[in-house]
Amino acid sequence: MEILFLNALANGILLGGVLALLAFGLNLIFGVVKVIHLAYGQCVMLGMYVIYTLKAIYGVPLILASTVAVLVMGVWGTLLHLLVIRPLLGAERLNQLLALAGLIIVFENLAHVIWGADLRGLRVDLPVVSLGNIFLKTSNLLAFAGALVVLGILYVVLHRTYVGLAIRAVAQDRECASLMGINPGRIYLLTLTIGGALTGLIAAFFSPIYSVHPHFGGSFTLMAFIIVVLGGMGNLAGGFIGAFIIGVVTSLAAVITSTEVAEIVALAIFILVVLVRPQGLLGARRAR
Amino acid sequence: MGSMLEVDNIDVFYGEFQALFHLSLEVKAGETVIVVGPNGAGKTTLLRSISGLQPPSKGSIKFLEQPIHRLPAHRIVELGLAHVPEGGRVFPNLSVMENLKIGSYVKEARREFQKTLEEIYELFPRLAERKSQLADTLSGGERQMLAIARSLMSKPKLIMLDEPSSGLAPMIVTMLFEFVARIRSQGYAILMVEQNVRKALALSDRAYLVESGKIALEGSREEFSQESYIRKAYLGL
């Protein structure tokens, strides 16, 4: 039993790394553009199909297929901004939410039409690593390490470069940022492009682990959303911590009970946070 | 000296509500001009329309001979016109240093960032002491100083200040006006909206009185301070 727990804990932490990257994308988009990208997990799903198509059907090497997926999903994010989000920037919050929720249906059915309902998986045989009694899949380890490296790079970009500072400035005070010479429209476009490219990257990390199907994205959108709320909406550090909490909790709950119950536990945490601490663990300080 | 900023006959609306009526104003190179008037007269709107945040629906605004009333705010800064909005509006979750760095976002200013930063730290030693603190943790006066310093980082030719002394303790206000005087002596042109008419007038070259969205009075500092209406209503004499 103890070994089971330790394994669940270790795998929960590994999952937390990738979830942190997913939550980061959702958080960044919310923090900067102030819209909740409800179809974020669905973009990961599309990215996985891109990789699947290239690798399984055209025999493109996985690394190259993943690179293409990052680029394609980046462009996808750009288009999403230009065609859906930008025209709705001045609209009511509710209309923005409905439009983005509508995209869930569009993306899922698009996948249905193109790839069908079957599970599509890559046959990637990677060895299992053992640390004493803990067994970890190399694919999970790679995804974890990759996600942390990317998060590190994003952190440095956000804190050390002009463009990163501009993104943070726009998130805090859009109008005042424009008085600094920053074009907020361009920062929005850039944010959605980065957010899109991240879904491609997450797809690359997920592809060797999971098989994809048209409804694959739903639970990940939900997870990311729970994490973002748990950490405090728009608070990137909060999201990082939240991802590991959710990763470990769901992983442990799945071992004790079942995967279905794990999702219930995650949602129960979500409801509890909204009731007790709606500003989240680290409560995003309000930019005026 | 030639005209640096020329506001010519502008009308500004917020939806249906008209805030400014055929308003004209001018700032010459090196001049310090103040705008006074009651609350809600349209002083803040005037600065917002010049910096591109609330463009006029009629009339024209020229900066260094170039029409700017159709340009978005981020393009106007690049020309050398800085706007310090009411309350300073520093970025609360950026450090003092990051706030200053983002102030030098425009291309020409970026190249000289290090040099300007040293000059700013010399001018505002307090900011150097707090450079790694979040702007959120600063006092009201320090925030206002940071906001002014941030605007200087963009290497502007004209600085617009919107009520820099508002909400500050009297001692801090005195210090703040000393800073404005120091900036002025470095040759920057300043357009300042102020409630503290006496202090602002003391360091101005010319002044405008705005009432109900129109220029009610204008003149040099001497003319302005001798006007009986100003003496009674704004200087309490």
Side-chain angles (χ1 to χ4, degrees), chain A residues 12-222:
Chain A
I13 291 170
L14 292 190
L15 177 66
V18 185
L19 287 180
L21 194 58
L22 191 69
F24 178 93
L26 195 66
N27 233 338
L28 186 71
I29 294 167
F30 175 76
V32 176
V33 191
K34 314 285 184 245
V35 296
I36 298 167
H37 191 336
L38 284 174
Y40 203 59
Q42 280 73 16
C43 289
V44 174
M45 175 267 294
L46 291 176
M48 288 174 76
Y49 274 119
V50 170
I51 295 172
Y52 167 79
T53 308
L54 289 172
K55 171 89 169 59
I57 300 179
Y58 295 103
V60 177
L62 186 58
I63 298 282
L64 186 61
S66 299
T67 313
V68 172
V70 172
L71 295 176
V72 168
M73 294 321 290
V75 173
W76 191 257
T78 312
L79 290 175
L80 188 68
H81 177 65
L82 295 177
L83 299 177
V84 181
I85 296 174
R86 195 169 69 178
L88 286 172
L89 281 178
E92 304 253 349
R93 253 294 140 93
L94 185 62
N95 292 358
Q96 298 174 344
L97 271 180
L98 288 173
L100 284 158
L103 285 179
I104 297 175
I105 301 167
V106 174
F107 291 175
E108 288 186 351
N109 286 293
L110 188 71
H112 251 293
V113 171
I114 301 176
W115 292 283
D118 295 341
L119 283 173
R120 309 278 181 188
L122 298 178
R123 299 256 167 272
V124 186
D125 280 322
L126 292 169
V128 172
V129 181
S130 63
L131 294 164
N133 284 326
I134 301 172
F135 297 93
L136 301 169
K137 285 193 198 137
T138 315
S139 50
N140 292 22
L141 272 173
L142 281 175
F144 175 75
L148 286 194
V149 167
V150 173
L151 281 170
I153 292 171
L154 288 167
Y155 180 87
V156 171
V157 168
L158 281 178
H159 284 83
R160 294 277 175 271
T161 67
Y162 270 103
V163 83
L165 275 180
I167 289 174
R168 290 164 69 208
V170 170
Q172 290 175 43
D173 190 337
R174 175 200 148 102
E175 188 177 270
C176 197
S178 73
L179 291 179
M180 305 294 116
I182 300 163
N183 179 350
R186 264 174 60 186
I187 296 295
Y188 283 7
L189 188 69
L190 181 68
T191 303
L192 262 301
T193 306
I194 294 173
L198 283 181
T199 60
L201 203 62
I202 294 160
F205 293 147
F206 275 172
S207 282
I209 306 174
Y210 301 106
S211 293
V212 65
H213 56 91
H215 300 286
F216 178 85
S219 64
F220 285 100
T221 302
L222 191 65

Side-chain angles (χ1 to χ4, degrees), chain A residues 158-163 165-170 172-184 186-187 284-288, chain B residues 48 51 53 73-74 77-78 83 85-95 98-99 101-106 110 113 134 136 150:
Chain A
L158 281 178
H159 284 83
R160 294 277 175 271
T161 67
Y162 270 103
V163 83
L165 275 180
I167 289 174
R168 290 164 69 208
V170 170
Q172 290 175 43
D173 190 337
R174 175 200 148 102
E175 188 177 270
C176 197
S178 73
L179 291 179
M180 305 294 116
I182 300 163
N183 179 350
R186 264 174 60 186
I187 296 295
R285 254 173 293 179
R286 253 179 203 288
R288 40 171 297 165
Chain B
R48 288 174 60 85
S51 66
L53 296 177
H74 60 91
V77 198
E78 289 173 5
H83 178 186
E86 207 173 350
R89 303 243 307 249
V90 293
F91 299 108
N93 291 341
L94 296 188
S95 71
E98 287 172 331
N99 265 282
K101 188 169 174 184
I102 204 71
S104 69
Y105 186 81
V106 294
R110 259 187 228 195
F113 167 68
L134 285 187
D136 210 21
R150 184 181 62 181

Side-chain angles (χ1 to χ4, degrees), chain B residues 168-219:
Chain B
L168 301 181
M171 242 174 65
I172 311 290
V173 171
T174 306
M175 208 161 76
L176 192 91
F177 275 102
E178 278 166 18
F179 276 119
V180 177
R182 218 184 294 173
I183 291 164
R184 179 186 182 225
S185 69
Q186 297 195 343
Y188 292 100
I190 298 173
L191 176 62
M192 176 163 64
V193 164
E194 243 315 315
Q195 296 276 11
N196 196 327
V197 179
R198 187 189 300 260
K199 280 206 159 72
L201 206 51
L203 52 83
S204 72
D205 297 303
R206 284 190 308 115
Y208 290 86
L209 170 67
V210 176
E211 282 181 342
S212 314
K214 297 176 186 125
I215 299 286
L217 198 67
E218 64 171 288

Side-chain angles (χ1 to χ4, degrees), chain B:
Chain B
M1 273 200 247
S3 201
M4 193 167 226
L5 177 73
E6 281 172 90
V7 177
D8 189 20
N9 249 316
I10 58 165
D11 283 352
V12 178
F13 286 86
Y14 286 104
E16 294 282 292
F17 173 75
Q18 185 163 7
L20 298 181
F21 300 83
H22 0 280
L23 189 145
S24 298
L25 167 150
E26 182 191 32
V27 180
K28 298 194 183 82
E31 239 187 352
T32 297
V33 174
I34 64 161
V35 177
V36 299
N39 278 333
K43 302 176 304 274
T44 293
T45 305
L46 171 64
L47 297 195
R48 288 174 60 85
S49 65
I50 296 171
S51 66
L53 296 177
Q54 191 69 39
S57 52
K58 248 190 177 164
S60 73
I61 303 172
K62 279 189 191 161
F63 180 65
L64 301 170
E65 313 283 306
Q66 189 183 338
I68 58 168
H69 52 278
R70 303 239 179 280
L71 293 182
H74 60 91
R75 293 283 316 283
I76 294 174
V77 198
E78 289 173 5
L79 302 174
L81 203 170
H83 178 186
V84 181
E86 207 173 350
R89 303 243 307 249
V90 293
F91 299 108
N93 291 341
L94 296 188
S95 71
V96 168
M97 214 284 273
E98 287 172 331
N99 265 282
L100 292 172
K101 188 169 174 184
I102 204 71
S104 69
Y105 186 81
V106 294
K107 265 202 191 74
E108 285 84 74
R110 259 187 228 195
R111 256 175 275 134
E112 295 178 48
F113 167 68
Q114 274 307 335
K115 193 170 145 267
T116 322
L117 188 68
E118 276 159 37
E119 288 168 15
I120 290 290
Y121 281 158
E122 213 165 289
L123 195 63
F124 302 91
R126 184 77 68 90
L127 295 180
E129 287 164 27
R130 325 223 141 175
K131 60 184 172 190
S132 33
Q133 259 175 257
L134 285 187
D136 210 21
T137 63
L138 299 182
S139 70
E142 288 166 343
R143 273 186 212 204
Q144 195 62 51
M145 266 178 227
L146 175 58
I148 296 172
R150 184 181 62 181
S151 77
L152 293 175
M153 292 298 297
S154 71
K155 299 255 137 198
K157 299 175 182 86
L158 170 67
I159 304 166
M160 302 198 293
L161 301 170
D162 195 350
E163 301 205 3
S165 78
S166 124
L168 301 181
M171 242 174 65
I172 311 290
V173 171
T174 306
M175 208 161 76
L176 192 91
F177 275 102
E178 278 166 18
F179 276 119
V180 177
R182 218 184 294 173
I183 291 164
R184 179 186 182 225
S185 69
Q186 297 195 343
Y188 292 100
I190 298 173
L191 176 62
M192 176 163 64
V193 164
E194 243 315 315
Q195 296 276 11
N196 196 327
V197 179
R198 187 189 300 260
K199 280 206 159 72
L201 206 51
L203 52 83
S204 72
D205 297 303
R206 284 190 308 115
Y208 290 86
L209 170 67
V210 176
E211 282 181 342
S212 314
K214 297 176 186 125
I215 299 286
L217 198 67
E218 64 171 288
S220 67
R221 175 180 54 195
E222 294 76 21
E223 289 165 353
F224 211 76
S225 43
Q226 268 149 34
E227 194 68 44
S228 62
Y229 176 64
I230 295 291
R231 288 168 65 90
K232 259 193 228 138
Y234 292 97
L235 298 173
L237 297 171

